[in-house]
Structures are given as structure tokens and as C-alpha cells.
Amino acid sequence: MGSTNVLVSSPGKQPLFSFGVVSDVQYADIPDGHSFIGVPRYYRHSIRVLQRAVRKWNNHQNLNFVINFGDIVDGKCPPDQSLDAVKKVNNEFQKFKGPVFHLIGNHCLYNLPRDILLPLLKIPGPNGQAYYDISPGPGYRIVVLDGYDISAIGWPRVHPKTLQALEFLEKKNPNPDKNSPAGLLGLERRFVMFNGAVGREQLEWLDGILQDSTKLRQKVIVCCHLPLDPCASSQEALLWNYDEVMNVIHQYKCVKACLSGHDHQGRHSIDSHGIHHRSFEAALECPPETDAFGHIDVYDNRLLLWGTDRMQGTEMYFNP
């Protein structure tokens, strides 16, 4: 338990900054179960994975912050327990001796609406939005996208973004159950209700951030709960409009990596523009006494993910 996957790094070279990563804790005080495709899920154990992660991050002593890639409480959590469950998991994150930045995922939104969830997690986006950026170290910017900006979950039922999402799904998915990809082929299998899209205003914001980062000669790490590359995800887990987002990103040379959760399996790819895509292994799917979390050392020409146990270490090199 808790073994670190060893990478080879330049001896003596100190990272510009380092940060902890974990995804898809999906805690609930319910018996173990399975995903819709039969993968075992350990709802009560997942918070223990997080507790061990926080202890290890604190023992590291040189981590500048932590990013949680979303889905802190599972959608199967009984509704009358949702608020307490989110608070319980958030309290574990708060034991980290430094800032914690959260992304929202579908399971977060199954439990709490945005107007309650975002303030609780101190997500700084305006007007119920959950996208923002931070400049954590020399020459870098981290951009957090809201993959459920256009979504049938999380917004009020009559909200324009809810209605836009439902209209989109009606056109793209003929199934009565919009969470089912049955009959959808290839990349069309992403058009299910548990995914979402980045809206027009957010795309314009992203374009402006990347313009600014280019002028400032900053390298950019993009974070989104939903994966942005088909080779780093199952077809069913992709952002609805991942292609639109990547079209914006590919106009610039500043983005070096896109990090995500949601897929649970953990995958790494490099796209046609040399951008690394890494989706993280889920804490939820760790059998008792196993783990899935890590930390990333950031250098001028690479990101090094040091994974613990089920989270595989990954070297992500790029042109500085």
C-alpha cells in the first residue's frame, strides 16, 4: 500500500513548483457497488484513500497546492446525506497545509446545486461559473475549465443552460434514458447526460487567457473534469465539445498539458500538436488498502507525475 511509482529525473534539479493531484473520490456511506459496466466501486474506502493522500502530501513538505479533479461525493449518496457528505470530504481536503483548488464533476452536481456547492468548495468563478485561472509559479498558468457549463445537471431546471443541454441531447441521443449511449457509434457515445460542454462565453474567456499567456510567455496547464482527447479517455467520458475546446487551444503554442478525471481508468496520450493529455485513475475504484493519488513536479520542459500505487507515474516532456 502507498508505494510510489518511480520516475527518472535529473539529479539535483529542483522543480519550479509542485502540486498534489487526486480525482473521483466519490465517497458515500453506502455498501460497495459497481459502475454501469461492472467495475467495482468502494464508496466508504475512498475517503481513506484521500486521508492517506493528504498525509503524504503534507509529509512531502514542498507541495505548493493540491488540485482535486472533481466528483468528491458519489451520485448514489442518499440525498438527505449529500450536504454532510460533501462537508466531510471537504474537511479532509482542508487538512492539507496549503491551498486546495477544486473542479466540479457530474457527481458533485448530482448531490448539490451550484449555488451551494461552489461557495462550499471556495470555487472562485463568477455567477455560478466554475472556471478560473491561477498563476502558481514562474512562467506558468493553470487554467481550470467548467466542463458542466452547458449541462442538464447542476443548474435550475428552467435555467437557459439546462434547456440548451436538454435540447442538444434530444438531437444527439435518441434513447429515452439520456445517460445511455446505447446505439450511439464511436465518438457519438459521448453525447450522454453525465457529460457536458464548455459554453460560448467560456470559450471566449479561454481564448483571451491563452492570448494573455502567450504575451507573457507563460506555459499553460489546462484542467477539466472531462477529458479533452479521445486517446486519453473512453468515448463515453469525453467533453461534448472537446473538439471546439481543442481548436481554441491548438491556435496557441503555450498549452503543454491537459489534465482530467472522469474516465477513472487513467490514460496518457500526446495529440497532433504535441500536447500531453493525462486522465487520472479514480480513488473510488481502489480496493481496500490500495491508493490512487500523486503529485506533479513542474519544470521548464516537462511535468513529472509521481503516482502512488494504482496511479501510474508519467513523464510529460515538451519543448520549453
Side-chain angles (χ1 to χ4, degrees), residues 150-152 155-170:
I150 307 300
S151 171
W155 298 104
R157 289 186 180 182
V158 295
H159 194 283
K161 294 193 175 190
T162 305
L163 300 177
Q164 182 181 347
L166 290 172
E167 182 181 359
F168 177 84
L169 284 171
E170 197 62 38

Side-chain angles (χ1 to χ4, degrees), residues 4-312:
T4 299
N5 294 306
V6 178
L7 300 176
V8 177
S9 183
S10 303
K13 181 79 171 178
Q14 293 299 310
L16 300 173
F17 61 95
S18 304
F19 61 97
V21 294
V22 70
S23 191
D24 298 276
V25 174
Q26 292 181 226
Y27 166 76
D29 187 13
I30 58 175
D32 296 342
H34 295 82
S35 72
F36 69 94
I37 58 171
V39 178
R41 292 184 163 182
Y42 305 92
Y43 298 105
R44 292 187 175 120
H45 175 254
S46 64
I47 199 168
R48 297 178 187 171
V49 177
L50 175 60
Q51 290 166 343
R52 290 192 289 266
V54 171
R55 284 198 296 270
K56 189 162 185 175
W57 292 331
N58 283 333
N59 289 337
H60 186 284
Q61 296 187 335
N62 288 313
L63 297 186
N64 301 79
F65 56 93
V66 162
I67 299 181
N68 161 42
F69 280 79
D71 282 357
I72 62 174
V73 171
D74 195 84
K76 292 184 179 179
C77 178
D80 63 341
Q81 298 178 23
S82 288
L83 181 58
D84 286 342
V86 171
K87 287 181 176 179
K88 182 175 181 177
V89 178
N90 191 39
N91 286 341
E92 296 300 330
F93 275 108
Q94 295 310 307
K95 293 176 184 177
F96 173 67
K97 298 173 182 177
V100 178
F101 299 100
H102 291 277
L103 283 64
I104 58 169
N106 52 311
H107 284 269
C108 304
L109 298 171
Y110 296 148
N111 280 275
L112 295 176
R114 285 173 175 262
D115 59 347
I116 296 175
L117 181 70
L118 270 60
L120 190 60
L121 299 181
K122 298 181 180 177
I123 293 175
N127 303 318
Q129 305 291 350
Y131 57 87
Y132 56 95
D133 69 294
I134 58 175
S135 297
Y140 269 89
R141 184 179 291 196
I142 293 179
V143 174
V144 172
L145 298 180
D146 181 353
Y148 293 90
D149 182 5
I150 307 300
S151 171
I153 50 177
W155 298 104
R157 289 186 180 182
V158 295
H159 194 283
K161 294 193 175 190
T162 305
L163 300 177
Q164 182 181 347
L166 290 172
E167 182 181 359
F168 177 84
L169 284 171
E170 197 62 38
K171 292 177 181 177
K172 296 290 188 179
N173 186 333
N175 295 305
D177 177 6
K178 299 303 180 188
N179 276 316
S180 172
L184 300 177
L185 301 177
L187 292 173
E188 292 182 352
R189 294 178 67 81
R190 72 188 188 275
F191 298 132
V192 285
M193 191 178 288
F194 56 76
N195 295 333
V198 167
R200 185 60 46 196
E201 183 178 327
Q202 187 179 173
L203 283 172
E204 292 172 357
W205 170 84
L206 173 63
D207 186 70
I209 290 289
L210 298 184
Q211 284 185 38
D212 189 51
S213 293
T214 299
K215 291 175 184 176
L216 295 173
R217 298 184 178 180
Q218 291 175 320
K219 299 176 182 68
V220 175
I221 300 168
V222 173
C223 302
C224 184
H225 179 68
L226 293 150
L228 302 176
D229 184 65
C231 294
S233 171
S234 65
Q235 294 166 335
E236 294 84 359
L238 287 163
L239 186 80
W240 287 343
N241 64 334
Y242 77 88
D243 46 352
E244 284 188 285
V245 173
M246 291 311 302
N247 283 341
V248 172
I249 288 173
H250 285 157
Q251 291 177 38
Y252 302 90
K253 295 182 179 179
C254 56
V255 177
K256 303 303 179 183
C258 297
L259 309 177
S260 63
H262 195 53
D263 181 61
H264 288 204
Q265 183 174 328
R267 309 178 199 225
H268 174 234
S269 66
I270 304 174
D271 70 22
S272 60
H273 287 64
I275 297 173
H276 291 268
H277 295 258
R278 180 65 165 88
S279 59
F280 296 121
E281 294 82 349
L284 171 67
E285 293 177 2
C286 293
E289 306 309 317
T290 66
D291 290 318
F293 59 85
H295 76 271
I296 293 177
D297 288 337
V298 179
Y299 296 86
D300 185 56
N301 68 336
R302 65 198 184 282
L303 307 181
L304 297 184
L305 167 61
W306 299 85
T308 297
D309 206 354
R310 292 168 64 90
M311 184 174 284
Q312 292 297 309

